[in-house]
């Protein structure tokens, strides 16, 4: 009994100490060609293996019961002054972008301060990806072209490289925005995209299933580590999970306090059992023109609420801007029953 009590006290002390040391690293942001970037050496990799190090706590949990850190517009880190416009993406006024970014365009389009590989190293396990095919190449986009999808260093390569180094981690890929020409991909273009996904990832793709039934333990029994979801009703690919199983209302708020109020209302509905069988995504980001700078304020409020009024909220994914400086990983990992508070990373 005494040994058990002592162990609990020591675990609590470790969690507190970790929380105090894992503060957001906004000071690590550097200005590079008009962009705020977080260098690789400044990424906190404490939680790069957090799933593998918490297998016992996670094995029996369904996917929609595991708290995940999500990256909003995960591939937008590459937008810079020389980026080409995404010719298929509509603006708020209904037109199309036809020029390179200028002024606040870069800070408005860029939601993340480092690449996908570093986001995964920080602990992100939910990637919001917007894809376009332009001039014969696939790109990640957010208003402007950001990073290539294929080839060495591209988005596919970064995900595969991370999983090669961390084979027990499971990643959810949100792929709800697909563009080509002036508008969304047509049926043939979408089928070509999914064929490319299947060729690139192969056995790494987890066969389609239910977010409320598939446990992490059952996924670990197979080779797949990527849960890829999209429009499975129109395109019933064997690896494509149905996007209707995901609940994530977009608040479109510029003020962080107002955003949190609306998110609280959404969480109140989830607490009553609404969307109980779904992957519940808290889209916790503002729609300002300086997303990474404003993320510091928004993420601070999200952290405070997850420790207090949202402590027991049934949220699956907390999706934010500038995920690597959010300070959210220790809070989310500590929501797991019986979790290792250090994540076991390096």
């Amino acid at each position: 009994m005494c040994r058990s009590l002592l162990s609990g006290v020591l675990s609590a002390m470790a969690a507190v100490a970790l929380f105090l040391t894992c503060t957001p690293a906004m000071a690590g942001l550097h200005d590079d060609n008009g962009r705020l970037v977080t260098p690789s050496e400044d990424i906190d990799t404490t939680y790069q293996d957090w799933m593998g190090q918490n297998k016992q706590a996670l094995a029996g949990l369904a996917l929609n019961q595991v708290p995940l850190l999500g990256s909003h517009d995960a591939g937008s880190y590459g937008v810079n002054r020389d980026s080409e416009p995404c010719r298929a993406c509509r603006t708020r006024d209904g037109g199309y972008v036809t020029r390179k970014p200028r002024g606040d365009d870069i800070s408005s389009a860029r939601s993340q301060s480092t690449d996908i590989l570093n986001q995964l190293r920080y602990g992100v396990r939910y990637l919001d990806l917007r894809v376009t095919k332009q001039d014969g190449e696939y790109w990640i986009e957010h208003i402007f072209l950001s990073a290539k999808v294929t080839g060495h260093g591209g988005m596919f390569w970064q995900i595969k490289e991370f999983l090669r180094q961390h084979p027990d981690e499971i990643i959810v890929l949100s792929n709800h925005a697909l563009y080509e020409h002036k508008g969304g991909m047509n049926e043939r273009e979408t089928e070509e995209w999914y064929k490319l996904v299947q060729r690139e990832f192969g056995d790494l793709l987890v066969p389609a299933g239910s977010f409320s039934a598939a446990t992490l333990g059952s996924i670990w029994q197979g080779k797949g580590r990527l849960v890829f979801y999209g429009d499975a009703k129109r395109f019933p690919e064997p690896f494509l999970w149905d996007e209707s199983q995901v609940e994530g209302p977009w608040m479109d708020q510029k003020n962080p306090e107002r955003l949190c109020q609306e998110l609280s209302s959404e969480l109140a509905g989830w607490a009553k059992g609404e969307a109980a069988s779904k992957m519940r995504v808290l889209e916790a980001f503002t729609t300002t023109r300086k997303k990474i700078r404003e993320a510091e304020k928004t993420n601070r409020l999200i952290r405070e609420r997850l420790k207090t009024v949202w402590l027991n909220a049934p949220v699956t994914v907390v999706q934010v801007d500038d995920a690597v400086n959010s300070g959210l990983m220790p809070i989310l990992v500590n929501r797991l029953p019986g979790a290792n508070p250090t994540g076991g990373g390096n």
Side-chain angles (χ1 to χ4, degrees):
M1 179 68 72
C2 291
R3 182 177 299 173
S4 175
L5 178 59
L6 177 60
S7 175
V9 170
L10 290 175
S11 296
M13 289 174 65
V16 170
L18 180 69
F19 174 73
L20 291 174
T21 57
C22 291
T23 53
M26 289 298 290
L29 285 168
H30 296 262
D31 193 296
D32 175 28
N33 191 28
R35 305 181 306 156
L36 288 172
V37 300
T38 302
S40 295
E41 60 269 22
D42 290 345
I43 304 298
D44 178 3
T45 60
T46 302
Y47 296 96
Q48 60 184 339
D49 292 303
W50 69 270
M51 286 182 163
Q53 294 294 335
N54 285 290
K55 269 193 165 184
Q56 187 173 356
L58 290 167
L61 297 181
L63 272 170
N64 74 338
Q65 296 174 322
V66 181
L68 305 176
L69 178 59
S71 172
H72 171 232
D73 278 311
S76 63
Y77 63 90
V79 174
N80 59 60
R81 290 171 182 163
D82 296 321
S83 294
E84 294 294 328
C86 176
R87 295 193 292 267
C89 185
R90 282 190 179 275
T91 61
R92 285 184 177 235
D93 61 9
Y96 295 93
V97 182
T98 57
R99 56 170 175 77
K100 291 189 175 183
R102 59 174 181 252
D104 287 343
D105 291 339
I106 297 174
S107 61
S108 178
R110 290 185 68 250
S111 299
Q112 303 300 327
S113 64
T114 191
D115 62 20
I116 287 171
L117 180 57
N118 277 321
Q119 292 172 42
L120 294 171
R121 289 173 65 227
Y122 175 70
V124 168
R125 294 295 178 267
Y126 179 98
L127 299 172
D128 168 34
L129 301 171
R130 320 291 174 92
V131 175
T132 188
K133 189 176 184 183
Q134 188 161 306
D135 299 329
E137 294 271 8
Y138 286 99
W139 299 83
I140 299 293
E141 64 78 26
H142 187 213
I143 308 172
F144 303 96
L145 302 187
S146 173
K148 285 190 175 182
V149 169
T150 58
H152 183 80
M155 183 265 285
F156 285 165
W157 180 90
Q158 292 183 56
I159 293 172
K160 287 187 288 188
E161 178 64 13
F162 177 79
L163 289 174
R164 183 185 67 80
Q165 298 176 26
H166 310 277
D168 284 332
E169 303 305 292
I170 296 167
I171 303 167
V172 179
L173 300 178
S174 166
N175 195 208
H176 62 279
L178 297 172
Y179 299 103
E180 188 160 351
H181 311 303
K182 285 195 171 182
M185 290 185 185
N186 60 33
E187 187 169 331
R188 177 186 59 80
E189 293 160 348
T190 304
E191 288 175 347
E192 288 177 357
W193 162 247
Y194 287 140
K195 286 178 182 177
L196 175 64
V197 169
Q198 196 155 28
R199 284 198 305 270
E200 285 282 339
F201 290 122
D203 289 344
L204 283 175
L205 294 164
V206 179
S210 165
F211 284 108
S212 61
T215 64
L216 269 67
S218 66
I219 292 174
W220 277 319
Q221 289 176 4
K223 295 180 180 179
R225 296 295 181 264
L226 294 176
V227 174
F228 197 101
Y229 78 82
D231 189 355
K233 286 185 170 58
R234 290 179 58 210
F235 304 95
E237 301 288 345
F239 65 87
L240 193 61
W241 294 55
D242 190 350
E243 63 186 5
S244 69
Q245 296 184 68
V246 180
E247 182 80 5
W250 183 48
M251 298 305 175
D252 195 9
Q253 280 293 332
K254 292 181 172 60
N255 181 279
E257 290 282 0
R258 179 62 182 164
L259 170 70
C260 286
Q261 291 174 15
E262 295 199 11
L263 292 174
S264 289
S265 297
E266 189 67 26
L267 286 171
W270 292 352
K272 294 176 182 176
E274 297 173 14
S277 64
K278 295 186 177 184
M279 174 79 85
R280 298 170 296 276
V281 182
L282 202 66
E283 299 198 352
F285 50 86
T286 54
T287 53
T288 64
R289 291 191 65 80
K290 295 185 182 295
K291 289 186 170 60
I292 291 174
R293 282 295 185 200
E294 291 299 316
E296 184 178 16
K297 303 173 187 175
T298 305
N299 292 340
R300 173 177 52 81
L301 294 176
I302 300 301
R303 292 195 308 273
E304 291 172 356
R305 281 161 174 77
L306 285 171
K307 291 186 295 179
T308 55
V309 292
W310 297 349
L311 182 62
N312 298 311
V315 60
T316 311
V317 180
V318 181
Q319 183 181 219
V320 298
D321 290 334
D322 197 19
V324 298
N325 291 311
S326 67
L328 283 165
M329 277 310 301
I331 296 171
L332 294 176
V333 169
N334 285 333
R335 292 169 78 93
L336 292 173
N340 176 353
T342 67
N346 297 324

